[in-house]
């Protein structure tokens, strides 16, 4: 094999997508599709039974059962929510099983605008499952003082 052919072969091997990253990406994409189409069974089927969901409100730190109870009315109306990813970073833990992943994603919400999602996933016998999901607002630094003042202000 010529040196050039060997370099191209090495580049092709290095550029090959990581199957675990592709699987995690697919789960996160299915999560958004399921919520956008109000497929409650598919949506919650992507979470591990002991998953935690941390929402944007200080009181939103839920077990899966608590999150289901909160979300049910949204799913019942025919469209829960949509947070399509505009950018995503996935890391597969450098351990032999390649069974732990964490992710961060920039999301776009028609209601909230720029948001972020982050979390941890674990590969199980039933595929990748979300163990923890954290949804947060992306607040520009030059607007953070105003947001902090609003949060600290007494509720009406």
């Amino acid at each position: 094999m010529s040196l050039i052919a060997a370099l191209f072969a090495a580049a092709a091997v290095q550029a090959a997508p990581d199957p675990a990253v592709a699987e995690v990406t697919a789960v996160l994409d299915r999560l958004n599709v399921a919520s956008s189409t109000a497929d409650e069974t598919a949506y919650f089927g992507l979470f591990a039974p002991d998953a935690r969901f941390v929402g944007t409100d200080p009181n939103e730190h839920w077990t899966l059962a608590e999150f289901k109870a909160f979300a049910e009315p949204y799913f019942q109306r025919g469209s829960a929510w949509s947070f399509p990813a505009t950018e995503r970073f996935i890391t597969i833990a450098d351990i032999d099983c390649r069974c732990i992943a964490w992710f961060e994603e920039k999301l776009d919400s028609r209601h909230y605008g720029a948001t972020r999602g982050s979390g941890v996933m674990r590969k199980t016998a039933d595929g990748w499952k979300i163990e923890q999901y954290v949804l947060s607002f992306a607040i520009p630094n030059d607007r953070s003082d105003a947001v902090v003042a609003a949060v600290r202000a007494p509720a009406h």
Side-chain angles (χ1 to χ4, degrees), residues 16-85:
D18 184 332
V21 169
E23 292 166 6
V24 168
T25 296
V27 169
L28 293 169
D29 288 343
R30 286 196 312 268
L31 187 72
N32 185 60
V33 168
S35 64
S36 298
T37 59
D39 188 341
E40 188 173 2
T41 302
Y43 184 86
F44 287 106
L46 297 171
F47 287 85
D50 59 347
R52 303 290 297 188
F53 186 93
V54 180
T56 56
D57 186 274
N59 297 314
E60 295 175 351
H61 191 254
W62 295 313
T63 64
L64 188 59
E66 292 166 335
F67 183 43
K68 280 183 183 180
F70 164 81
E72 186 172 12
Y74 294 94
F75 281 93
Q76 296 302 315
R77 70 181 188 197
S79 176
W81 48 79
S82 181
F83 288 84

Side-chain angles (χ1 to χ4, degrees), residues 139-151:
I139 301 168
N141 287 335
D142 64 347
R143 296 182 186 170
S144 62
D145 289 342
V147 172
V148 169
V151 169

